[in-house]
Amino acid sequence: MTAVTRAGYGDIAIYSTPGRECTIDLSDNINLWGPPPSALRAMQAVNGNSISRYPPAYEPSLRDALARHAGVAPGNIVAGCGSDDVLDCAMRAFAEPGDILCLPAPSFSMIPIFARTNGLVPVAVPLSGQLDADVDRMLATRARITYLCSPNNPTGETLSRDAVERIVDGAAGLVIIDQAYVEFGGESFTDLAVSGRVLVTRTMSKAFGLAGLRVGYGIGSPDIIAGILKARGPYRISGPAEAGAIAVLAKDQSWVAEHVTETIANRVRFRRELAQMGFEPLPSAANFVLVPVTNRAAVSLKLYDAGIGVRELRALPGIGDALRIGIGPWHLMERCLAALAGTA
Ligand SMILES: *Cc1c(COP(=O)(O)O)cnc(C)c1O
């Protein structure tokens, strides 16, 4: 048989979500209250033209709305088909095949995969004992791209400004700061994104409740934005997705803020109840909580039997096995707590 596959792709797995059905899915950190009403209305009002015609090539109206939201100029914004797309394009735009991409461990599971599909070599540096970035070891990799995530997925903890600034100052190439969960806590690093070597990414998939529309964005200097647009190409945001995202940014900021507030309250309460049951959940600034477990298989079986899906993580550096549990309306968290009873 002729080899048609690209070198290095043989051992990259196709992303798979857990096969088992669950009635309560707390596994993927989306907004569990559902879509914001203005997005639903925008979808129902979709004009035939936005289906039969190409959308604007580089979505100027969406970039204007995102820029206003982020407090930067439209020239500092690039949108993508989810922030995954922005991250993937940045790897293509700012590193050559064979270059190193440095990331903390544990961190966002897609990053080593995007690195490898772009021909880069992912080098994972364990977080420090305080779950902050290990600045010296990360800088010592001389990576062409350094990836940071704050609040970090899956730990939920934030990186310190001191660590982030030292990495930005000392890095050999682009620094990506993934802030997919910034609405739920921790500091915004958007101020660093104007420096010309930093890309901050954010998404409409989590706090904004639009995971299905696939809209994410990056914030950076005009040169960074231009590089990503080249790697990305035109027409990446569908017309209906652009309309939905603009509607939410214009009309549903208070809907988003209310659910963020409720998420934070439920997160505090959920962690407190877990602790009372004997678990030791990590502190979280995100819309999920990481719960180390020593009997992962038994605990997840109980959750599955109760129809509850969570994200199982194995042998995380410095943490061990753990469950990442998304935070939603309290009646869902109660069901999760009931299923966990007696398993700590
Ligand atoms: C969910 C998530 C994303 C990306 O989500 P999109 O839906 O592609 O915007 C990016 N980074 C982290 C850390 C995430 O958890």
Side-chain angles (χ1 to χ4, degrees):
M1 203 179 91
T2 323
V4 293
T5 52
R6 177 173 163 170
Y9 270 51
D11 52 359
I12 295 174
I14 294 175
Y15 183 78
S16 67
T17 47
R20 279 224 247 170
E21 285 288 308
C22 53
T23 45
I24 298 177
D25 188 354
L26 308 178
S27 71
D28 58 8
N29 308 337
I30 57 166
N31 188 322
L32 290 162
W33 281 269
S38 62
L40 218 47
R41 284 198 301 274
M43 291 306 102
Q44 283 154 355
V46 162
N47 177 314
N49 279 339
S50 76
I51 293 174
S52 61
R53 293 185 183 170
Y54 281 102
Y58 297 103
E59 56 289 329
S61 311
L62 176 60
R63 288 167 80 182
D64 283 349
L66 290 169
R68 235 172 295 129
H69 174 63
V72 297
N76 294 116
I77 293 281
V78 58
C81 179
S83 55
D84 279 357
D85 186 32
V86 179
L87 294 164
D88 180 46
C89 291
M91 292 185 204
R92 247 188 337 279
F94 297 105
E96 306 283 348
D99 282 343
I100 289 175
L101 178 143
C102 179
L103 74 158
S107 196
F108 186 35
S109 62
M110 293 307 294
I111 296 302
I113 298 170
F114 290 145
R116 289 162 65 205
T117 55
N118 283 297
L120 311 185
V121 180
V123 174
V125 173
L127 291 167
S128 70
Q130 293 75 44
L131 297 186
D132 202 357
D134 188 335
V135 176
D136 294 333
R137 283 189 62 195
M138 291 191 87
L139 290 179
T141 65
R142 305 308 295 155
R144 187 71 176 267
I145 297 181
T146 304
Y147 171 87
L148 302 171
C149 184
S150 184
N152 186 41
N153 179 2
T155 59
E157 302 219 43
T158 56
L159 302 180
S160 69
R161 178 165 281 268
D162 177 62
V164 172
E165 288 187 348
R166 280 164 58 212
I167 287 172
V168 170
D169 289 344
L174 179 74
V175 178
I176 298 174
I177 310 174
D178 184 337
Q179 300 222 272
Y181 301 98
V182 72
E183 291 85 359
F184 300 102
E187 234 181 305
S188 162
F189 292 113
T190 298
D191 58 298
L192 302 178
V194 289
S195 73
R197 43 207 310 232
V198 174
L199 170 70
V200 169
T201 59
R202 293 199 199 168
T203 181
M204 308 287 290
S205 298
K206 307 287 164 58
F208 283 82
L210 300 182
L213 288 190
R214 311 304 301 126
V215 181
Y217 58 108
I219 306 167
S221 69
D223 285 346
I224 301 272
I225 299 306
I228 295 171
L229 284 174
K230 290 178 197 176
R232 193 204 75 165
Y235 313 123
R236 192 67 143 234
I237 313 294
S238 76
E242 181 176 17
I246 290 173
V248 177
L249 289 164
K251 298 185 187 127
D252 265 335
Q253 295 281 358
S254 59
W255 183 95
V256 173
E258 278 161 30
H259 291 108
V260 165
T261 303
E262 199 171 337
T263 300
I264 293 169
N266 290 355
R267 178 182 79 204
V268 170
R269 189 171 167 196
F270 186 65
R271 279 191 71 244
R272 194 170 55 224
E273 301 221 359
L274 285 173
Q276 279 164 7
M277 292 163 64
F279 291 100
E280 293 179 11
L282 268 59
S284 172
N287 65 341
F288 56 83
V289 171
L290 191 72
V291 189
V293 288
T294 48
N295 51 348
R296 180 181 47 76
V299 179
S300 53
L301 193 65
K302 275 204 83 177
L303 288 167
Y304 272 120
D305 284 347
I308 297 166
V310 303
R311 181 71 188 268
E312 278 181 51
L313 297 151
R314 297 177 193 199
L316 298 177
I319 295 167
D321 289 349
L323 306 177
R324 193 193 64 198
I325 304 176
I327 303 294
W330 187 250
H331 68 274
L332 303 182
M333 307 323 296
E334 262 179 336
R335 296 268 300 273
C336 183
L337 288 166
L340 286 171
T343 65

